Amino acid sequence: MRLIFIGPPGSGKGTQAKRLASLHGVPHISTGDMLRDAIDAGTELGREAAPIMAAGALVPDDLMIGIIRDRLSKADAGKGFILDGFPRTVVQAEKLDTIVGNGDHGLRVLQLLVPDEVIVKRIALRRSCPNCGAIYHLETAPPANDTLCDRDGAELTARPDDNETAVRKRLEAFHRQTLPVATFYKSQSKLREVDGVGPVDEVFERIEKSLN
Ligand code: AP5
């Protein structure tokens, strides 16, 4: 499986990609998670990315392409991968073609369709585990124990870019810079569109069906 998830912020890419990756035994590669790890580790990349992410804008293409080139060269990606958050611009999509090899390389692209008004509600109540990355929603997917992670008991946190101003900026970046990526793959007949509204299990079933 070589799959790309495209969707607006909060559309459920991370939730669905984690589940699909563990079912199919391929790595879930989230550029957002990789950048947040770099910020936590205090690397040069992290220092450069932090203010850009906090403002809801996109990190420069050359940095992102370098990260993905390195990650896809690792042995575990040889058997397949699920990309979550990359490519986000047409330049990134074109470069990805050269990284995985031009032509028919089995790449499929899944676009989650979720209206902006649903996004804002989802993001406001999202919490995640700073240790294991598990994603919760205080209303639709709450942890069993107050605000602690079900897996490791860590205190759940809200992301710094999940405030209203940054979310509006992230949505604008999605419409302006990432929707053309969907068009890019549609013109190559690689794109499948899936309704991302509804319970997580139902959305997952739609995704599985669209891939068969
Ligand atoms: P990234 O981490 O990729 O963020 P994003 O695209 O904004 O997406 P999110 O992680 O916010 O949402 P999601 O779609 O994964 O939804 P989730 O499953 O969590 O990127 C962050 C930043 O990094 C970017 O803004 C940019 O600055 C930078 N960056 C990253 N990649 C880049 C690149 N390639 N180029 C340049 N810059 C880059 O779900 C959200 C919430 O909804 C959760 O609470 C969840 O529990 C809930 N939920 C999920 N599904 C459902 C459902 N069906 N019903 C109800 N609730 C649901």
Side-chain angles (χ1 to χ4, degrees):
M1 170 172 284
R2 288 172 140 192
L3 185 68
I4 294 170
F5 264 95
I6 292 181
S11 56
K13 301 183 296 296
T15 301
Q16 300 294 345
K18 275 182 210 293
R19 194 163 161 179
L20 205 60
S22 93
L23 186 74
H24 291 270
V26 293
H28 164 224
I29 301 176
S30 156
T31 42
D33 286 349
M34 291 164 89
L35 290 169
R36 283 183 285 277
D37 287 347
I39 292 172
D40 290 345
T43 65
E44 199 182 322
L45 168 68
R47 282 194 294 279
E48 191 165 340
I52 300 172
M53 290 171 75
L58 294 188
V59 174
D61 286 335
D62 53 343
L63 283 180
M64 299 314 301
I65 290 160
I67 293 175
I68 280 295
R69 185 181 282 116
D70 287 353
R71 182 62 187 88
L72 292 183
S73 71
K74 298 227 156 67
D76 64 342
K79 58 187 175 186
F81 49 79
I82 297 182
L83 287 181
D84 162 8
F86 186 97
R88 253 177 159 98
T89 65
V90 173
V91 170
Q92 292 180 16
E94 288 168 347
K95 278 287 175 197
L96 181 64
D97 266 352
T98 67
I99 294 169
V100 296
N102 281 308
D104 184 13
H105 34 58
L107 206 59
R108 289 187 285 174
V109 184
L110 200 139
Q111 184 181 3
L112 280 177
L113 306 173
V114 180
D116 288 4
E117 61 274 16
V118 177
I119 296 292
V120 174
K121 212 175 159 199
R122 280 191 190 176
I123 284 190
L125 296 179
R126 172 176 40 195
R127 298 290 182 273
S128 46
C129 174
N131 288 345
C132 71
I135 303 168
Y136 298 87
H137 187 277
L138 295 182
E139 229 172 62
T140 59
N145 187 357
D146 201 13
T147 56
L148 303 181
C149 179
D150 292 345
R151 290 189 201 159
D152 55 28
E155 184 75 36
L156 301 177
T157 54
R159 272 171 39 179
D161 60 344
D162 277 354
N163 61 77
E164 205 187 321
T165 314
V167 170
R168 223 180 287 125
K169 190 90 200 291
R170 283 157 64 198
L171 276 169
E172 186 198 309
F174 173 76
H175 288 289
R176 193 166 49 85
Q177 293 167 281
T178 308
L179 273 181
V181 176
T183 310
F184 173 85
Y185 287 120
K186 200 170 195 168
S187 70
Q188 301 173 29
S189 307
K190 289 178 180 157
L191 186 80
R192 292 156 205 218
E193 293 172 329
V194 171
D195 179 5
V197 179
V200 170
D201 289 349
E202 269 177 33
V203 175
F204 187 74
E205 272 176 36
R206 282 179 216 144
I207 290 171
E208 282 275 273
K209 216 178 265 174
S210 82
L211 294 174
N212 289 327

